[in-house]
Amino acid sequence: DIRFIDPCMGSGHILVYAFDLFTKMYEEEGYQTRDIPTLILTNNIFGIDIDRRCYQLASFALSMKARAYYSRYLRKAIQPNTIVLQNIDHDTIASAGDWDTKSSMWQFENVDTIGSLLQISSDDCVKIQVESGLFGEQQQLLKMQAEYLSSKYHCVVTNPPYLGKGMGEALTNYAKSHYVESKTDTMVMFMERCLDFAKETGYLALINFQSWMFVSNYSDYRKT
């Protein structure tokens, strides 16, 4: 039942470690060794990144970890729940639903820059329509990415990117409007975002610098 996500998974080091922990939990509950890898990759572990190569490495690492536990796993391997965020063009977004002009859905045009910091509501996710024909494949991609970004998880663990300068126009503008108290550095923005990813009684862990504890830029966020 536990949903664990790394929203900045890189090449998957944290996810692979989580796989080991989930394996021990399943073993303690008496599950068969041959069933455990598929159960973990189907139900428990999720990962997001904006770098396609990192996504490929993370998916490969998880598949090899699964095979290490069960040598016949690759005979009927499943795709891990890892995704690389990809930009969606304006026309596809418009065709998938009726969005307010201020809706974050439009930011899927820049999602390869904004990444997991993109805040999508579960209501908007539900409204996405997937049709057959010209826009269908891209609408399906939009819906999948929105589901990852709008879902809640029991455990959120990540080593976020540290970036205070050179964010680019799309990310800078999004940060100013959605991360008012933490916009100075992506590291701190991810603290705020990961709290949103986590369920109310969930667990959160980030590898962060200490600057947010004393730098004046974050005085409001410290109060929060």
mmCIF file of all heavy atoms in Angstrom, residues 162-197:
data_model
loop_
_atom_site.group_PDB
_atom_site.id
_atom_site.type_symbol
_atom_site.label_atom_id
_atom_site.label_comp_id
_atom_site.label_asym_id
_atom_site.label_seq_id
_atom_site.Cartn_x
_atom_site.Cartn_y
_atom_site.Cartn_z
ATOM 1 N N TYR A 162 20.176 22.148 -6.845
ATOM 2 C CA TYR A 162 20.475 23.424 -6.177
ATOM 3 C C TYR A 162 20.737 24.453 -7.271
ATOM 4 O O TYR A 162 21.722 24.358 -7.994
ATOM 5 C CB TYR A 162 21.714 23.307 -5.285
ATOM 6 C CG TYR A 162 21.734 22.103 -4.373
ATOM 7 C CD1 TYR A 162 22.917 21.426 -4.109
ATOM 8 C CD2 TYR A 162 20.566 21.632 -3.773
ATOM 9 C CE1 TYR A 162 22.945 20.328 -3.270
ATOM 10 C CE2 TYR A 162 20.585 20.534 -2.932
ATOM 11 C CZ TYR A 162 21.789 19.880 -2.682
ATOM 12 O OH TYR A 162 21.810 18.795 -1.860
ATOM 13 N N LEU A 163 19.863 25.436 -7.404
ATOM 14 C CA LEU A 163 20.000 26.429 -8.460
ATOM 15 C C LEU A 163 19.415 27.750 -7.990
ATOM 16 O O LEU A 163 18.205 27.865 -7.810
ATOM 17 C CB LEU A 163 19.280 25.961 -9.733
ATOM 18 C CG LEU A 163 19.418 26.842 -10.967
ATOM 19 C CD1 LEU A 163 20.864 26.920 -11.428
ATOM 20 C CD2 LEU A 163 18.540 26.308 -12.103
ATOM 21 N N GLY A 164 20.282 28.734 -7.788
ATOM 22 C CA GLY A 164 19.827 30.045 -7.352
ATOM 23 C C GLY A 164 19.866 31.083 -8.444
ATOM 24 O O GLY A 164 19.178 32.085 -8.391
ATOM 25 N N LYS A 165 20.699 30.845 -9.474
ATOM 26 C CA LYS A 165 20.816 31.774 -10.593
ATOM 27 C C LYS A 165 20.716 30.996 -11.900
ATOM 28 O O LYS A 165 20.989 29.799 -11.953
ATOM 29 C CB LYS A 165 22.152 32.508 -10.539
ATOM 30 C CG LYS A 165 22.327 33.405 -9.319
ATOM 31 C CD LYS A 165 23.684 34.104 -9.342
ATOM 32 C CE LYS A 165 23.861 35.008 -8.123
ATOM 33 N NZ LYS A 165 25.184 35.684 -8.131
ATOM 34 N N GLY A 166 20.341 31.700 -12.964
ATOM 35 C CA GLY A 166 20.296 31.062 -14.270
ATOM 36 C C GLY A 166 19.164 30.069 -14.436
ATOM 37 O O GLY A 166 19.296 29.087 -15.166
ATOM 38 N N MET A 167 18.034 30.311 -13.784
ATOM 39 C CA MET A 167 16.901 29.387 -13.877
ATOM 40 C C MET A 167 16.226 29.422 -15.247
ATOM 41 O O MET A 167 15.551 28.473 -15.624
ATOM 42 C CB MET A 167 15.844 29.718 -12.804
ATOM 43 C CG MET A 167 16.280 29.477 -11.396
ATOM 44 S SD MET A 167 14.890 29.769 -10.255
ATOM 45 C CE MET A 167 15.742 29.768 -8.677
ATOM 46 N N GLY A 168 16.366 30.519 -15.961
ATOM 47 C CA GLY A 168 15.650 30.668 -17.227
ATOM 48 C C GLY A 168 14.315 31.341 -17.004
ATOM 49 O O GLY A 168 13.755 31.336 -15.902
ATOM 50 N N GLU A 169 13.769 31.910 -18.061
ATOM 51 C CA GLU A 169 12.555 32.722 -17.939
ATOM 52 C C GLU A 169 11.346 31.922 -17.463
ATOM 53 O O GLU A 169 10.600 32.356 -16.579
ATOM 54 C CB GLU A 169 12.244 33.373 -19.293
ATOM 55 C CG GLU A 169 11.037 34.300 -19.255
ATOM 56 C CD GLU A 169 10.763 34.954 -20.595
ATOM 57 O OE1 GLU A 169 11.508 34.670 -21.565
ATOM 58 O OE2 GLU A 169 9.807 35.743 -20.682
ATOM 59 N N ALA A 170 11.126 30.741 -18.028
ATOM 60 C CA ALA A 170 9.928 29.960 -17.694
ATOM 61 C C ALA A 170 9.908 29.582 -16.218
ATOM 62 O O ALA A 170 8.894 29.752 -15.531
ATOM 63 C CB ALA A 170 9.856 28.704 -18.561
ATOM 64 N N LEU A 171 11.034 29.059 -15.704
ATOM 65 C CA LEU A 171 11.090 28.641 -14.307
ATOM 66 C C LEU A 171 11.057 29.845 -13.374
ATOM 67 O O LEU A 171 10.393 29.813 -12.331
ATOM 68 C CB LEU A 171 12.346 27.807 -14.058
ATOM 69 C CG LEU A 171 12.566 27.305 -12.627
ATOM 70 C CD1 LEU A 171 11.348 26.538 -12.121
ATOM 71 C CD2 LEU A 171 13.817 26.433 -12.547
ATOM 72 N N THR A 172 11.765 30.916 -13.736
ATOM 73 C CA THR A 172 11.778 32.117 -12.900
ATOM 74 C C THR A 172 10.377 32.690 -12.735
ATOM 75 O O THR A 172 9.950 33.016 -11.621
ATOM 76 C CB THR A 172 12.703 33.191 -13.506
ATOM 77 O OG1 THR A 172 14.043 32.680 -13.560
ATOM 78 C CG2 THR A 172 12.685 34.458 -12.667
ATOM 79 N N ASN A 173 9.647 32.805 -13.828
ATOM 80 C CA ASN A 173 8.289 33.350 -13.765
ATOM 81 C C ASN A 173 7.361 32.441 -12.968
ATOM 82 O O ASN A 173 6.516 32.924 -12.195
ATOM 83 C CB ASN A 173 7.738 33.557 -15.171
ATOM 84 C CG ASN A 173 8.443 34.678 -15.921
ATOM 85 O OD1 ASN A 173 9.049 35.552 -15.302
ATOM 86 N ND2 ASN A 173 8.372 34.653 -17.239
ATOM 87 N N TYR A 174 7.502 31.134 -13.158
ATOM 88 C CA TYR A 174 6.649 30.194 -12.425
ATOM 89 C C TYR A 174 6.957 30.255 -10.929
ATOM 90 O O TYR A 174 6.049 30.222 -10.092
ATOM 91 C CB TYR A 174 6.845 28.775 -12.945
ATOM 92 C CG TYR A 174 5.814 27.805 -12.419
ATOM 93 C CD1 TYR A 174 4.520 27.780 -12.922
ATOM 94 C CD2 TYR A 174 6.130 26.921 -11.381
ATOM 95 C CE1 TYR A 174 3.564 26.910 -12.422
ATOM 96 C CE2 TYR A 174 5.191 26.045 -10.881
ATOM 97 C CZ TYR A 174 3.906 26.043 -11.397
ATOM 98 O OH TYR A 174 2.967 25.173 -10.889
ATOM 99 N N ALA A 175 8.235 30.366 -10.594
ATOM 100 C CA ALA A 175 8.635 30.431 -9.182
ATOM 101 C C ALA A 175 8.071 31.686 -8.516
ATOM 102 O O ALA A 175 7.582 31.631 -7.375
ATOM 103 C CB ALA A 175 10.154 30.421 -9.071
ATOM 104 N N LYS A 176 8.110 32.809 -9.219
ATOM 105 C CA LYS A 176 7.613 34.057 -8.642
ATOM 106 C C LYS A 176 6.123 33.990 -8.322
ATOM 107 O O LYS A 176 5.657 34.604 -7.356
ATOM 108 C CB LYS A 176 7.881 35.216 -9.608
ATOM 109 C CG LYS A 176 9.336 35.631 -9.682
ATOM 110 C CD LYS A 176 9.533 36.752 -10.688
ATOM 111 C CE LYS A 176 10.988 37.187 -10.769
ATOM 112 N NZ LYS A 176 11.184 38.257 -11.788
ATOM 113 N N SER A 177 5.370 33.251 -9.120
ATOM 114 C CA SER A 177 3.925 33.199 -8.927
ATOM 115 C C SER A 177 3.461 32.038 -8.042
ATOM 116 O O SER A 177 2.388 32.110 -7.445
ATOM 117 C CB SER A 177 3.215 33.112 -10.286
ATOM 118 O OG SER A 177 3.621 31.950 -10.990
ATOM 119 N N HIS A 178 4.277 30.969 -7.926
ATOM 120 C CA HIS A 178 3.839 29.782 -7.188
ATOM 121 C C HIS A 178 4.690 29.447 -5.955
ATOM 122 O O HIS A 178 4.275 28.648 -5.118
ATOM 123 C CB HIS A 178 3.817 28.568 -8.118
ATOM 124 C CG HIS A 178 2.740 28.613 -9.145
ATOM 125 N ND1 HIS A 178 2.843 29.362 -10.291
ATOM 126 C CD2 HIS A 178 1.515 28.016 -9.195
ATOM 127 C CE1 HIS A 178 1.739 29.223 -11.020
ATOM 128 N NE2 HIS A 178 0.922 28.419 -10.371
ATOM 129 N N TYR A 179 5.879 30.048 -5.866
ATOM 130 C CA TYR A 179 6.762 29.775 -4.733
ATOM 131 C C TYR A 179 7.284 31.099 -4.183
ATOM 132 O O TYR A 179 8.488 31.356 -4.148
ATOM 133 C CB TYR A 179 7.919 28.871 -5.156
ATOM 134 C CG TYR A 179 7.474 27.492 -5.576
ATOM 135 C CD1 TYR A 179 7.200 27.202 -6.905
ATOM 136 C CD2 TYR A 179 7.315 26.474 -4.636
ATOM 137 C CE1 TYR A 179 6.772 25.940 -7.296
ATOM 138 C CE2 TYR A 179 6.891 25.210 -5.019
ATOM 139 C CZ TYR A 179 6.626 24.956 -6.345
ATOM 140 O OH TYR A 179 6.200 23.699 -6.727
ATOM 141 N N VAL A 180 6.347 31.915 -3.724
ATOM 142 C CA VAL A 180 6.663 33.285 -3.315
ATOM 143 C C VAL A 180 7.686 33.317 -2.190
ATOM 144 O O VAL A 180 8.601 34.145 -2.184
ATOM 145 C CB VAL A 180 5.373 34.020 -2.889
ATOM 146 C CG1 VAL A 180 5.700 35.427 -2.398
ATOM 147 C CG2 VAL A 180 4.395 34.079 -4.055
ATOM 148 N N GLU A 181 7.585 32.406 -1.230
ATOM 149 C CA GLU A 181 8.463 32.425 -0.063
ATOM 150 C C GLU A 181 9.774 31.670 -0.285
ATOM 151 O O GLU A 181 10.713 31.834 0.484
ATOM 152 C CB GLU A 181 7.734 31.822 1.147
ATOM 153 C CG GLU A 181 6.528 32.629 1.606
ATOM 154 C CD GLU A 181 5.828 31.978 2.786
ATOM 155 O OE1 GLU A 181 6.174 30.820 3.112
ATOM 156 O OE2 GLU A 181 4.949 32.612 3.374
ATOM 157 N N SER A 182 9.850 30.845 -1.312
ATOM 158 C CA SER A 182 11.025 29.984 -1.485
ATOM 159 C C SER A 182 11.675 30.126 -2.853
ATOM 160 O O SER A 182 12.554 29.343 -3.208
ATOM 161 C CB SER A 182 10.617 28.523 -1.264
ATOM 162 O OG SER A 182 9.592 28.134 -2.174
ATOM 163 N N LYS A 183 11.294 31.142 -3.612
ATOM 164 C CA LYS A 183 11.659 31.247 -5.026
ATOM 165 C C LYS A 183 13.139 31.471 -5.301
ATOM 166 O O LYS A 183 13.590 31.341 -6.435
ATOM 167 C CB LYS A 183 10.875 32.386 -5.678
ATOM 168 C CG LYS A 183 11.166 33.775 -5.099
ATOM 169 C CD LYS A 183 10.336 34.829 -5.794
ATOM 170 C CE LYS A 183 10.639 36.238 -5.271
ATOM 171 N NZ LYS A 183 10.180 36.393 -3.876
ATOM 172 N N THR A 184 13.935 31.805 -4.270
ATOM 173 C CA THR A 184 15.333 32.166 -4.495
ATOM 174 C C THR A 184 16.191 30.997 -4.944
ATOM 175 O O THR A 184 17.200 31.186 -5.620
ATOM 176 C CB THR A 184 15.933 32.779 -3.215
ATOM 177 O OG1 THR A 184 15.065 33.828 -2.763
ATOM 178 C CG2 THR A 184 17.302 33.374 -3.472
ATOM 179 N N ASP A 185 15.821 29.780 -4.579
ATOM 180 C CA ASP A 185 16.635 28.614 -4.939
ATOM 181 C C ASP A 185 15.725 27.398 -5.137
ATOM 182 O O ASP A 185 14.791 27.189 -4.353
ATOM 183 C CB ASP A 185 17.661 28.307 -3.843
ATOM 184 C CG ASP A 185 18.776 27.399 -4.326
ATOM 185 O OD1 ASP A 185 18.475 26.259 -4.749
ATOM 186 O OD2 ASP A 185 19.959 27.803 -4.283
ATOM 187 N N THR A 186 15.996 26.618 -6.164
ATOM 188 C CA THR A 186 15.182 25.426 -6.413
ATOM 189 C C THR A 186 15.217 24.454 -5.243
ATOM 190 O O THR A 186 14.245 23.752 -4.987
ATOM 191 C CB THR A 186 15.668 24.701 -7.679
ATOM 192 O OG1 THR A 186 17.077 24.435 -7.571
ATOM 193 C CG2 THR A 186 15.407 25.529 -8.919
ATOM 194 N N MET A 187 16.354 24.414 -4.531
ATOM 195 C CA MET A 187 16.477 23.536 -3.371
ATOM 196 C C MET A 187 15.361 23.779 -2.367
ATOM 197 O O MET A 187 14.739 22.841 -1.858
ATOM 198 C CB MET A 187 17.842 23.772 -2.716
ATOM 199 C CG MET A 187 18.034 23.109 -1.371
ATOM 200 S SD MET A 187 19.446 23.799 -0.481
ATOM 201 C CE MET A 187 18.807 25.394 0.028
ATOM 202 N N VAL A 188 15.088 25.050 -2.080
ATOM 203 C CA VAL A 188 14.062 25.396 -1.095
ATOM 204 C C VAL A 188 12.672 25.254 -1.706
ATOM 205 O O VAL A 188 11.725 24.856 -1.025
ATOM 206 C CB VAL A 188 14.292 26.815 -0.551
ATOM 207 C CG1 VAL A 188 13.334 27.093 0.617
ATOM 208 C CG2 VAL A 188 15.731 26.983 -0.086
ATOM 209 N N MET A 189 12.550 25.580 -2.982
ATOM 210 C CA MET A 189 11.264 25.366 -3.648
ATOM 211 C C MET A 189 10.854 23.898 -3.574
ATOM 212 O O MET A 189 9.669 23.583 -3.386
ATOM 213 C CB MET A 189 11.339 25.819 -5.103
ATOM 214 C CG MET A 189 11.285 27.315 -5.288
ATOM 215 S SD MET A 189 11.046 27.785 -7.022
ATOM 216 C CE MET A 189 12.724 27.727 -7.621
ATOM 217 N N PHE A 190 11.817 23.008 -3.707
ATOM 218 C CA PHE A 190 11.495 21.582 -3.631
ATOM 219 C C PHE A 190 11.099 21.152 -2.225
ATOM 220 O O PHE A 190 10.341 20.189 -2.055
ATOM 221 C CB PHE A 190 12.648 20.722 -4.155
ATOM 222 C CG PHE A 190 12.513 20.396 -5.606
ATOM 223 C CD1 PHE A 190 13.304 21.018 -6.556
ATOM 224 C CD2 PHE A 190 11.565 19.474 -6.038
ATOM 225 C CE1 PHE A 190 13.156 20.737 -7.902
ATOM 226 C CE2 PHE A 190 11.416 19.179 -7.379
ATOM 227 C CZ PHE A 190 12.214 19.815 -8.322
ATOM 228 N N MET A 191 11.590 21.847 -1.201
ATOM 229 C CA MET A 191 11.096 21.558 0.149
ATOM 230 C C MET A 191 9.597 21.812 0.202
ATOM 231 O O MET A 191 8.826 20.999 0.714
ATOM 232 C CB MET A 191 11.807 22.446 1.175
ATOM 233 C CG MET A 191 13.278 22.135 1.372
ATOM 234 S SD MET A 191 14.059 23.276 2.535
ATOM 235 C CE MET A 191 13.159 22.915 4.031
ATOM 236 N N GLU A 192 9.189 22.948 -0.355
ATOM 237 C CA GLU A 192 7.773 23.313 -0.365
ATOM 238 C C GLU A 192 6.967 22.354 -1.241
ATOM 239 O O GLU A 192 5.882 21.910 -0.869
ATOM 240 C CB GLU A 192 7.629 24.754 -0.865
ATOM 241 C CG GLU A 192 6.232 25.308 -0.778
ATOM 242 C CD GLU A 192 6.156 26.787 -1.119
ATOM 243 O OE1 GLU A 192 7.216 27.453 -1.131
ATOM 244 O OE2 GLU A 192 5.042 27.260 -1.381
ATOM 245 N N ARG A 193 7.513 22.036 -2.400
ATOM 246 C CA ARG A 193 6.798 21.154 -3.334
ATOM 247 C C ARG A 193 6.645 19.749 -2.778
ATOM 248 O O ARG A 193 5.590 19.110 -2.935
ATOM 249 C CB ARG A 193 7.551 21.105 -4.669
ATOM 250 C CG ARG A 193 6.905 20.187 -5.713
ATOM 251 C CD ARG A 193 5.559 20.726 -6.136
ATOM 252 N NE ARG A 193 4.972 19.959 -7.217
ATOM 253 C CZ ARG A 193 4.004 19.056 -7.066
ATOM 254 N NH1 ARG A 193 3.516 18.814 -5.849
ATOM 255 N NH2 ARG A 193 3.507 18.424 -8.108
ATOM 256 N N CYS A 194 7.674 19.247 -2.135
ATOM 257 C CA CYS A 194 7.610 17.878 -1.627
ATOM 258 C C CYS A 194 6.614 17.738 -0.478
ATOM 259 O O CYS A 194 6.020 16.673 -0.291
ATOM 260 C CB CYS A 194 8.996 17.400 -1.196
ATOM 261 S SG CYS A 194 10.098 17.069 -2.595
ATOM 262 N N LEU A 195 6.431 18.802 0.282
ATOM 263 C CA LEU A 195 5.379 18.781 1.296
ATOM 264 C C LEU A 195 4.011 18.623 0.643
ATOM 265 O O LEU A 195 3.115 17.986 1.188
ATOM 266 C CB LEU A 195 5.419 20.060 2.132
ATOM 267 C CG LEU A 195 6.523 20.134 3.184
ATOM 268 C CD1 LEU A 195 6.640 21.551 3.732
ATOM 269 C CD2 LEU A 195 6.240 19.155 4.310
ATOM 270 N N ASP A 196 3.868 19.209 -0.541
ATOM 271 C CA ASP A 196 2.616 19.084 -1.291
ATOM 272 C C ASP A 196 2.458 17.679 -1.868
ATOM 273 O O ASP A 196 1.339 17.156 -1.942
ATOM 274 C CB ASP A 196 2.593 20.128 -2.406
ATOM 275 C CG ASP A 196 1.255 20.161 -3.138
ATOM 276 O OD1 ASP A 196 0.216 20.239 -2.473
ATOM 277 O OD2 ASP A 196 1.262 20.096 -4.385
ATOM 278 N N PHE A 197 3.566 17.065 -2.274
ATOM 279 C CA PHE A 197 3.521 15.687 -2.772
ATOM 280 C C PHE A 197 3.090 14.704 -1.679
ATOM 281 O O PHE A 197 2.449 13.689 -1.952
ATOM 282 C CB PHE A 197 4.905 15.253 -3.262
ATOM 283 C CG PHE A 197 5.152 15.485 -4.728
ATOM 284 C CD1 PHE A 197 6.257 16.202 -5.153
ATOM 285 C CD2 PHE A 197 4.292 14.949 -5.687
ATOM 286 C CE1 PHE A 197 6.502 16.399 -6.506
ATOM 287 C CE2 PHE A 197 4.527 15.139 -7.042
ATOM 288 C CZ PHE A 197 5.639 15.873 -7.456
#
